[in-house]
Structures are given as C-alpha cells and as structure tokens.
Amino acid sequence: MNIMNSGEKPRESEAMRGYGAAPFDASEGAVLDIHKLLAIVRRRIWLVLVIAAALMGVATAVIWQITPRYTATTTVMIDTRRTQVIDMPAVLSDLSPNAVALNAQAEIIRSRAVTGRVIEKLDLGSDPEFNPMMDASGPRLLSPRSWLPVFIGRGKAEVLPPAERARVEAEAVFDTVRGALEIVPKAQVASIDIGFTSPDREKAALIANAVADAYVVDQLEAKFQATRQATEWLNARLGEMRVQLDESERAVEIFRAENDLLSASTEGGTLNEQQLSELNSQLITARADLAAKQVRYQRLQQLVRQGGSIETAGEVMSSGVIGGLRQQQAELARRQAELSSRYGPRHPEILKVQAEQRDLAREIANETGRILENVRNEVDIAATRVQSLEGSLDGLRQRASGDNQAFVQLRALEREAAATRTLYESFLTRFRQTTEQEDLQTPDARVISEARVPTVPSYPKTRVLLAAALMLSFGAGLACALALELLDDSIHTTAQAEEMLGVVSLGVIPLVGSKEAGGREGPHGYLLRKPLSSYSEAFRSLRTALTLSNVDHPPRVVLFTSALPGEGKTTAAVSFAISGARAGLRTVVVDCDLRRPKVAAALGLPKPTVGLVEHLARQASLEEVMLHHEASGVDCIPIAAGTSNPAELLSSQHMRELMEQLKRQYDLVVVDSAPVLPVSDTLTLAKLVDTTLFMVRWNETPKAAARNALREFINFGLPLAGVVLAQVDMSQQRKYGYGDGSYYYGNYSGYHSN
C-alpha cells in the first residue's frame, strides 16, 4: 500500500480541491457550537441518565448514612461603654471593636486557656465523642480525628507511660473540641458568634454557653492579674524613686553653698550676667552710631576725591552759616546784574562787587572745610567710645565666665531634681488609682444571646447536598457522553464526511432493515417493491448527482468500493444498478471482487459455473457468463471461481476490451470491486472506469481508514466522484446532523412511501 509522506501533502491538497471539496477551516471547528452539544446530549441521553441515576443513588445512600450534627450559637458583644465609678484610666485598655481586635479575641476564644477551661469544667475528656481513644466503635469514616488511635496504634497507646498517654489524650480532646468550635467575628456590630457542633443537640448548646462564660471569666481574670501586677510594680518603683528624689535635692543645695550661688536663680541669672547684658546693649548702640558717622564721613571724602562740590552735601546744606553766606552771594549776583546793565565790565562798582563775591566764596570754602573736620572728629569720638565699651565688656566677661560654668551645673542639678520629683508624683498618683481599681474591674464582653437547643441539624444540608449531587451526577454523565463522543472515530453526517475526508459527499443511503427488506429479497427487493421509498430516492439522487457532475459526458462506468469489507458497497452497487434499470437504462453489474464475490447472491441468482475469470481467460464467451435478473432487467457478470493473480487479471488487455465492449452495449456499467485497504485490486481497476463512488458505512467506518483509502486514489490520480454514506439509520442520524439534509428527514418523509 502507498502511504503518503510529508512531501506529498501539497499534491494531496491539490487533488482534493480538484474533486470539489472545500478546504477545512480549523477556526470554524474551534468555535463552540451549542447545536453540536445538544446533539451529543440527544444521542447519548440514555447514557447520561443511567450514569446520573447511578451516581445519584450512591450519593443519596451516602447522605442518608451521615450522622446529623447540630450547631448551637452564643452571641457575645464587645461593650466599649464601661461603668466609670472613678474617672481614671484603666490598667488594661478597653477593646476596640475593629476587625483586627475582634479577630484577636476570636483566637483567644480558640486558645487553650478558654477551651481548656471548658474541657475541664464539663469533663469532656471522659466523653467518647471528644476522646477518640475511648471510642470502642472504631474510627468513623467522616470523622478524621477518630482515626487518631489507628495512626498511633491502639496497642501502642495502651503501653504508653501514664503521663505520655494523658498528654496524647488531652491533645486529642483539645483538637476535637476546637475543631467543633466555630468563631465568627462581626466587626459591623462589634460582636462574636460562638458556635459549637455536636451530634447531641443539648450538648451543643451546653458547650457553646460554657465557652462564652469561660471567655468572659478569662477577660476578668486578665484584668485582675494586670492590675495586681501593676500595683506591685508601682509600689516597688516608688521606693526607689523616693531615694533618688532625696539625693537630687540634697545635691542642689550643696552645690549652691560651695559656689556662692545662694542668691542666684535659674530664671534671673547672676549680677555679672545682668551687667554683661547691659554692656552688650550699649556696645551694639555705639557700634551702630560709629557705623552711621563713618558712612557720612566717607560720603563727604568721596565727593572731594571725585572733584564734586561738597557744598551740595546734606551737612553743608543744613549749616546756618553757609545759608547766610549763600544769601549774600545771591544779593551780590543781583547787584552785579543791575550794574552790568548800566556800566561796562571794567567799572569800579562792578569790580568791587566781583571782589566781594570772591571773598564770600573763600568764606564758604573755609566753612565747608570746618564742617568736614567736625564730621571727622565725631567719627573719632564714636570709635573711642566703642573701644572703651569693648574693653569693659572683655573684663566683665572674664569675671562672669566662672559664674556661668558653675551656674550651668546648678541648672542641670535642678532639672534632674525637678524631673525626679515630677516622675515620683506621677507614679504616686497612678499607684493610688491602681490600688482603688482592683475591686472595680468589669469585662469588655457580655453575653447578649445564649445558645438554645437547636431543632434542625446544621449538617448535613440534605437539600443542598442532594442538589449538588444531582448536578455532579448529570455533569459526570455529560462528561462521559462527551468523552465517548470524542473517542468516536466513525463518520455520521455528510458535512462531517466532507470535513474529515476532504472529498465532496454525494448522498446518503438509508438503512433497510430485515423487516422492510422482506427476508431473502434483500434491499434490492425492497427497492423494487417500494419505488417511491426514501431508499429508492437515494439512488435516484445519486445517479442525478453523477449526471450533473459532467453534463456533456456523464459517467457510464461507475466503480463501487470502500475502505474495509462489510461497508455495503455490493448492496449499494446492486441497488444502484436496479435503480438505473428501473429508469430505462440498459444496465449491467460486473462483479470484480475476485476474492469475495457477492453480486450473484445479492441478486438472488443461482450459483454460476462460469464467470468473469473464465471469460478473461478466453474459456467462455460473454453471452455464456452473462446472467439476467428478470425482476429488475439487470444483467450480471458474476464470478464463478477465483484466481491466484487477481491484480494482473484486472489490469490485462482483455479486461480493458471487456470494459469497452460493455460501454458500447450498455447505458450504465456498475462495477463492484474489492475494498481498497486490504488489496490493491481496486486501484488497478479504477483506471478502467469513468468514476468511482467511495462507500463509507455510517457510524462504523473509522475516519483514519477512509482517509487512508482515499489517499490512495489521490496519490495515483484515479477518478473519484465522491463519498456516499451507506446504511444510515435515518431516525438516529437526525441526532447528528443539524443543518445536514438528513436532519430534516422527518419534515419531508411524507414525500416517500416507505
């Protein structure tokens, strides 16, 4: 057999397109199709129901075997409103009703301090429900803690030392009781729900209330213990601080006496410090005055160096002498102007006025020089005063330096004594408050709703479990149905045939049962008796499809084959020939399956003595081997005996001549051949026919087998019209092919007379 390698894939794809098959779109198959899912459920509904019913029965039996358990719940509220008999802060702060604090309180309730108190109070260690080592009934399936004796070995537990055995039992009891507790903090309402689950409803309520009481008592004891420890610590600390305070105050007085600081105070300072402060203020003022005068003197010197008129300076302008001289100078200018209008420039009066003006200018210059000298003298006086103050300040600073060093030490000693005194007074006040608080402790939590004996079991939730079991049962059934569907390797619809095989599908041949076939007549007898049946219509449609495939030269020699034996190719070939004969065509059926001939038997003809092999061997003429079926008018060339070289016989020149002769004598030549995969006879024979019909048995032929057989036709370029689904159960096939022609079989079945 020829198996196509990877290098031949393009040729195969091209050949498939040549046969008219649409290329398969992988993305289309990836989309979830609800109709396909519904079709799967319809096809395998009984499998789904059986699996669901079986699993549901098992689940129901298990649920009813579960021992009912009851949950009782006590509600504890965290009360932040405390009774304040005395307005003082508590040693142990109040609880804050936030989520973190409530979660912490929930862990306290689960702790060994609270749970152990309940175990001891109610003697739960001697209860077989909580002590698995005392349970003589053996481990329970749904109680993992009851398997503890099995894990440690019941025999080993008996030989443990008493202390170790007691410890193991105590741990087992604590784990069991804690596992039955359910603590639910509720930050929105500042409360905690304490639930306990037990098969005994009264015991559940009793233990839930006992846990709540133990939690409240644990809170009180914690506050009493904290207050008692605080009082003892404060009392011891006060004795130590009293001694420290006495020593600090004594050190301050001794230092004052030794350093002659009895009149000094930490607020006012010493006399030297006060004098030093006053001299500092005077020095700052003197330095500011010196700086102002130096600036004024430097401005006057700058005007002189730059050649400007010093008379415009502010000191000169403000001088009364300069002002009088300027008035005289203005008067002389006015007189000179009057005289100049009457006399010439060399007149004695004019010369006299000019001489007076020169004298006034010299006087103004002399006065300006005296003003500049006065400013310089003021600068010298201010500088001398600054130097004097600096000298006095240096001497006073040296005298105050010693006092300051001693005073710094005095301040440190006084601060230490004051801090010790403040701390001592604070501790003394807190000690008195704590002592008075010991008898005024109240818990932060209180029980607002005691647990009542439950009437309805909390576990198992029968309805919920049954609903979940029902859903899971159906889910398991659907999963099995889907798994079987995915494992199904057969072909069910024409669309699936085209998609999987890449070749056009030409039609569907319905299955004819033994009841319709009429016993030994077979399907071809049913075709004769029911010409308007769906079985007859299928072959008419198939013949029409072949005719329309090539209108100018419709195929006259048609080969019927399949991938494997038993796929209905012989029945289809005989029925196709009878259908053609009923349509008025001269038809002959040639049985070319030299290994397993069946055409004569299918037509109900007697066993032949000569046949195709004898004719090709020139031992009998065509008329001698030809048989005639009276009921249908179909001629038949049977096979009477086999041969040792069937492939060579079918590829002989005599076979070619026979095909040509039959083609001239008949309108339709139907050739029944062997399957493709077991032998190579069909591939040899396919070269002598016009086209080939490939039969695929519905719900039987493996996809891989059909694909491999078709690959042989494609590799050798043999004529192939398409595939035909044979022996299709139309009532069941509707469940597969939404959109397929057979899906609407019920709608047009009225057109057929079955």
Side-chain angles (χ1 to χ4, degrees), residues 592-670:
C592 291
D593 189 350
L594 299 178
R595 303 170 193 269
R596 296 179 62 184
K598 293 183 179 180
V599 173
L603 287 171
L605 297 174
K607 185 176 181 180
T609 58
V610 291
L612 179 64
V613 175
E614 288 76 14
H615 175 68
L616 295 179
R618 303 298 184 178
Q619 298 175 3
S621 64
L622 183 60
E623 290 77 12
E624 292 175 344
V625 301
M626 186 74 70
L627 299 179
H628 182 72
H629 188 253
E630 293 294 340
S632 62
V634 174
D635 290 336
C636 171
I637 300 178
I639 293 178
T643 180
S644 60
N645 54 348
E648 289 78 1
L649 185 64
L650 294 176
S651 61
S652 64
Q653 181 62 32
H654 293 167
M655 187 64 187
R656 293 189 180 88
E657 293 173 356
L658 175 62
M659 289 291 105
E660 292 296 331
Q661 182 180 356
L662 293 177
K663 193 173 182 180
R664 291 191 297 270
Q665 293 180 3
Y666 293 92
D667 300 322
L668 178 61
V669 179
V670 179

Side-chain angles (χ1 to χ4, degrees), residues 95-108 185-188 192:
L95 288 176
S96 175
N98 54 44
V100 177
L102 290 179
N103 289 332
Q105 295 304 306
E107 291 302 319
I108 292 176
K186 296 181 178 179
Q188 297 84 353
I192 300 176

Side-chain angles (χ1 to χ4, degrees), residues 361-384:
R362 283 193 298 271
E363 291 180 4
I364 290 173
N366 293 334
E367 184 64 23
T368 300
R370 285 194 299 273
I371 292 173
L372 181 61
E373 185 66 19
N374 289 338
V375 172
R376 188 183 65 79
N377 290 335
E378 290 179 358
V379 171
D380 294 340
I381 294 172
T384 302

Side-chain angles (χ1 to χ4, degrees), residues 8 11 22 28 32 40 76 115 197 267 290 319 348 352 366 378 439 532 545 606 634 656 689 696 714 736:
E8 295 172 328
R11 192 162 62 113
E28 182 178 349
L32 180 63
I40 293 174
V76 177
T115 306
T197 303
E267 291 80 9
L290 173 61
S319 174
K352 180 180 178 181
N366 293 334
E378 290 179 358
D439 299 329
L532 297 180
V634 174
R656 293 189 180 88
V689 301
V696 175
I714 295 169
Y736 288 91

